[in-house]
Amino acid sequence: MALLSLKKDPYVTTLGGFSKVTNYLYDAFRGAEEQQRPPEERADLLGEVIPGLEINHQEEPGFEVITRVSLGPLRPDVQRGEPLSPEQWGGHQDPEGRVVNVPHLKQVIFKGGLCHMLRKEVWKFLLGYFPWDSTLEERKAVTRDKTDEYFRMKLQWKSVSEEQERRNSKLRDNRSLIEKDVNRTDRTNRFYEGIDNPGLVLLHDILMTYCMFDFDLGYVQGMSDLLSPLLFVMENEVDAFWCFVSFMDQMNFEEQMQGMKTQLVQLSSLLRLLDLNFWNYLESQDSGFLYFCFRWLLIRFKRELSFPDVLRLWEVMWTGLPCQNLHLLVCCSILDSEKQKIMEENYGFNEILKHVNELSMKLDIEEILRKAEAICLQIKGCKVS
C-alpha cells in the first residue's frame, strides 16, 4: 500500500476549507511506521467499536487481520420509529423534574429522534449539560452557575486590548480563523443568513470564548460546523456554549488528528469485516485508508446531510445506542449503498473522492440509520473462525 498516495492534490481541493487539518492527517499517515500504536493497543481500540472483535497481527506486520470471517445470519430487517412526543417526554419525569426510565427513553430517541420542540430541552440531557437525575431546581442552579462562568470567560477575550492581541499570536490566529469560518457557515439557513446577522455574532463569540475555555486546543477548522446546529436549536448563547463543550469532549477533537487516524483505522477494519471484496477493491485503488471519509468523521456528516437530517442524526448518536461509535456504522451504511456503483464503474482514486463528495445532500438519513443498526446487529452475530 503506497502511503505516498495520500499526498495527492485532489484530496486537498475537494475538502476545501479543511486543508489545514487535512495536512495533519497526512503527517500522521506519513509517520505511520514511527508513530503507529502497538498492535495490542490498536486491537483494544477496535474492540471498543464492536466488543469481542478479534484481530490477528501475525499474518502481516503492521496491518490488522480480522479472524472473524463469518457474519452469521443475514442482515436483519430493522424498522425506525416516530420522534419522541411532548407527552412521552412528560411521562418520563417525576414530580420534581427528574428523568425516569432513561434506558427506555434513549431507546425511543434512538429509534425515532425527537420532535423539534423538545430539542432545546432534551439535548441538554443527551449531551450531559444536565444530569438525568437532576431536579428542576438543581437544573436552575446549574444554569445560573454556568451562565456566570461563561460570561467570565467571554470577558477575558473581550477585554484584551489591541496591543495585547498584537503580541499574542495564538489569540490573533484563532480570531482570524473564526471570523473566516463564521462568515461561510450555514449562510443559507434563516438563523444565519443576511448581513450583520445576530446569529453570526453569537457563533463568533461562542467560538472565541471556547478558545478561553480550552487554551491548548483553541480553534480548529470544522468547529463552526459543529456549533452551528447547537446554537440554532438552543437559541441561547450560554446553553449553546456548554452543549458545544460536551460535544467537543465526545468528539475528542485535536489539532494533530491522532483521534481521526484511529477512527479511520477502525472504520477500515469494520469495512474489511463486512465486505472483504469491496475493501480489497478500495485497497487496489489506494483508498484502503478510507480518507475520503475524513470530512464525514471530522464534522459528523454536517455537510453531507440537510440541516434537519443533521439534527436527527446527532440526537440519535448522542443516545450511545446501539454502540458508542454509531458514526462508524453510519459510514459503513453509506458505503454499503454505494459500493456496487463504485466497483461496477471501476472508479479509481480520484473518481471515488468525487463520487463520495457528490453524495452531499442526496442521502436519506432514515434509510442510513436503519441500515447502520442492521449492520450492528449483523456484526454482533459474528462467529469466530
Side-chain angles (χ1 to χ4, degrees), residues 274-329:
L274 290 168
D275 194 325
L276 185 58
N277 288 335
F278 181 45
W279 187 89
N280 283 335
Y281 176 83
L282 294 175
E283 181 76 354
S284 72
Q285 303 301 323
D286 290 332
S287 298
F289 274 126
L290 306 180
Y291 28 79
F292 51 83
C293 297
F294 174 74
R295 187 174 72 185
W296 295 0
L297 298 173
L298 180 69
I299 53 175
R300 291 299 190 269
F301 310 94
K302 168 63 168 48
R303 296 194 184 177
E304 319 312 316
L305 301 167
S306 67
F307 207 84
D309 283 355
V310 170
L311 307 185
R312 171 71 75 242
L313 173 63
W314 286 8
E315 64 200 13
V316 168
M317 289 194 303
W318 293 334
T319 65
L321 300 173
C323 62
Q324 290 297 323
N325 287 286
L326 177 62
H327 60 288
L328 298 183
L329 297 177

Side-chain angles (χ1 to χ4, degrees), residues 158-358:
K158 278 281 193 179
S159 60
V160 171
S161 68
E162 291 185 8
E163 178 65 16
Q164 286 177 305
E165 186 166 329
R166 188 176 67 82
R167 299 173 184 274
N168 188 329
S169 61
K170 185 163 186 178
L171 178 62
R172 191 170 62 247
D173 291 345
N174 282 332
R175 186 191 294 272
S176 177
L177 276 174
I178 288 171
E179 289 175 353
K180 289 177 182 177
D181 282 1
V182 163
N183 284 331
R184 58 192 179 198
T185 299
D186 291 326
R187 298 309 303 274
T188 59
N189 185 297
R190 63 171 178 81
F191 194 79
Y192 300 108
E193 67 184 0
I195 301 174
D196 297 327
N197 187 297
L200 296 179
V201 176
L202 292 179
L203 202 64
H204 170 275
D205 288 0
I206 293 171
L207 292 170
M208 285 294 298
T209 305
Y210 187 81
C211 293
M212 295 294 103
F213 176 80
D214 192 334
F215 287 102
D216 290 339
L217 180 60
Y219 180 79
V220 179
Q221 285 175 293
M223 286 184 180
S224 63
D225 276 295
L226 296 175
L227 172 60
S228 169
L230 295 170
L231 180 57
F232 170 81
V233 167
M234 295 299 155
E235 299 179 304
N236 176 283
E237 184 176 1
V238 175
D239 290 344
F241 174 82
W242 291 110
C243 286
F244 179 65
V245 167
S246 297
F247 194 16
M248 290 297 295
D249 288 344
Q250 290 182 22
M251 292 285 294
N252 192 26
F253 225 84
E254 53 188 350
E255 195 174 32
Q256 298 302 324
M257 292 291 124
Q258 277 299 118
M260 186 64 59
K261 176 184 173 184
T262 297
Q263 290 182 71
L264 288 170
V265 170
Q266 293 173 331
L267 179 57
S268 181
S269 298
L270 278 173
L271 188 62
R272 195 182 325 182
L273 170 66
L274 290 168
D275 194 325
L276 185 58
N277 288 335
F278 181 45
W279 187 89
N280 283 335
Y281 176 83
L282 294 175
E283 181 76 354
S284 72
Q285 303 301 323
D286 290 332
S287 298
F289 274 126
L290 306 180
Y291 28 79
F292 51 83
C293 297
F294 174 74
R295 187 174 72 185
W296 295 0
L297 298 173
L298 180 69
I299 53 175
R300 291 299 190 269
F301 310 94
K302 168 63 168 48
R303 296 194 184 177
E304 319 312 316
L305 301 167
S306 67
F307 207 84
D309 283 355
V310 170
L311 307 185
R312 171 71 75 242
L313 173 63
W314 286 8
E315 64 200 13
V316 168
M317 289 194 303
W318 293 334
T319 65
L321 300 173
C323 62
Q324 290 297 323
N325 287 286
L326 177 62
H327 60 288
L328 298 183
L329 297 177
V330 169
C331 292
C332 291
S333 174
I334 297 172
L335 294 174
D336 186 74
S337 298
E338 301 301 322
K339 65 184 179 183
Q340 184 174 353
K341 183 175 182 61
I342 289 173
M343 290 191 289
E344 285 183 353
E345 298 291 333
N346 197 30
Y347 285 165
F349 181 92
N350 292 339
E351 290 80 13
I352 293 172
L353 286 174
K354 183 175 184 291
H355 178 71
V356 167
N357 283 337
E358 290 176 349

Side-chain angles (χ1 to χ4, degrees), residues 54-112:
E54 297 182 7
I55 300 173
N56 182 340
H57 301 275
Q58 303 306 314
E59 287 191 32
E60 191 174 6
F63 297 89
E64 298 104 343
V65 179
I66 297 175
T67 62
R68 183 167 291 166
V69 296
S70 174
L71 285 176
L74 295 176
R75 190 172 297 167
D77 184 29
V78 171
Q79 300 299 319
R80 299 283 298 157
E82 294 297 320
L84 183 79
S85 68
E87 293 74 24
Q88 288 174 301
W89 172 241
H92 277 83
Q93 297 178 63
D94 70 13
E96 292 185 302
R98 298 181 187 87
V99 182
V100 297
N101 201 356
V102 175
H104 176 262
L105 179 66
K106 287 185 176 181
Q107 183 65 30
V108 175
I109 297 173
F110 168 70
K111 280 293 190 179

